[in-house]
Amino acid sequence: MSGRNTALTPPDDAAAPVRHPEAPAPGEPLGSHYEHCFGCGGGQPHGLHLEARAGDGVSVTAEFTVRPVHQGAPGLAHGGVLATALDETLGSLNWLLRVIAVTGRLETDFVRPVPVGTVLHLRAEVTAVAGRKIYCTAVGRMDGPDGPVAVRADALFIEVKVDHFIDNGRPEEIRAVMADPDQVRRARAFEVNP
């Protein structure tokens, strides 16, 4: 697309993404990485409750239903909520690479209004990797996975260490996660972008 930010263009020496051998199988639900995540957590009453699945290659699909609590203009999804749905879907790609990464840049195009009650069908894929930088793209469609495009985004994620969350998160939440005796749940809390 013309006019796109060059910060979202992979360098010439970027590598093709490689799905980690232990990544979830295509079609497998990815589940929530953290119960209180606004994007995917079940513990957020007004959250998106986004449901993502591993796709082929280094891609994921997700669905999100726009509820009345997500509206901006009367009867329409708030643009920031739509950007959040794209960001959450893009962040889910990290499951397939088996890295911890955070959003560095997100450029969103709003193509058409999305009414309350719409099920937004999202698809994201990693396009390139250069060192700690992960380049990816996503699209959200209405009326089914092949329906009209409503929103799309290009993003740059940056691989980080778990210390990024421990050093910057609120101490009470970090302590609660670290005290969880379930090692899998504890590790998953830090696996996807905040």
Side-chain angles (χ1 to χ4, degrees):
M1 297 182 74
S2 61
R4 299 306 270 189
N5 189 308
T6 57
L8 296 173
T9 302
D12 292 338
D13 63 348
V18 176
R19 185 187 189 105
H20 192 278
E22 295 176 22
E28 187 175 326
L30 299 179
S32 169
H33 73 93
Y34 178 54
E35 178 185 352
H36 299 290
C37 174
F38 182 79
C40 66
Q44 288 288 346
H46 300 302
L48 306 185
H49 303 155
L50 195 98
E51 297 177 10
R53 292 186 177 277
D56 293 326
V58 189
S59 72
V60 297
T61 60
E63 290 185 3
F64 147 61
T65 301
V66 179
R67 296 182 290 142
V69 296
H70 301 138
Q71 65 188 309
L76 297 173
H78 189 288
V81 169
L82 296 174
T84 301
L86 288 164
D87 184 49
E88 185 68 28
T89 305
L90 289 158
S92 295
L93 291 165
N94 298 326
W95 293 100
L96 305 181
L97 298 173
R98 297 288 296 239
V99 299
I100 301 171
V102 296
T103 311
R105 185 173 199 90
L106 178 69
E107 187 171 305
T108 306
D109 294 318
F110 302 95
V111 179
R112 60 178 31 97
V114 179
V116 169
T118 298
V119 176
L120 198 61
H121 298 265
L122 300 136
R123 184 180 188 285
E125 67 180 321
V126 177
T127 57
V129 177
R132 294 176 46 224
K133 294 181 178 181
I134 302 164
Y135 297 86
C136 40
T137 187
V139 65
R141 296 175 179 272
M142 301 187 320
D143 304 325
D146 297 317
V149 172
V151 292
R152 61 179 163 245
D154 291 315
L156 171 65
F157 278 70
I158 308 296
E159 187 176 346
V160 297
K161 303 287 185 211
V162 73
D163 292 349
H164 167 86
F165 302 98
I166 293 169
D167 294 344
N168 296 293
R170 284 191 345 167
E172 52 269 31
E173 277 90 353
I174 298 298
R175 279 193 297 274
V177 167
M178 298 305 280
D180 191 328
D182 184 329
Q183 289 182 349
V184 172
R185 197 168 47 224
R186 186 170 58 233
R188 284 180 57 127
F190 299 109
E191 286 184 342
V192 178
N193 67 305

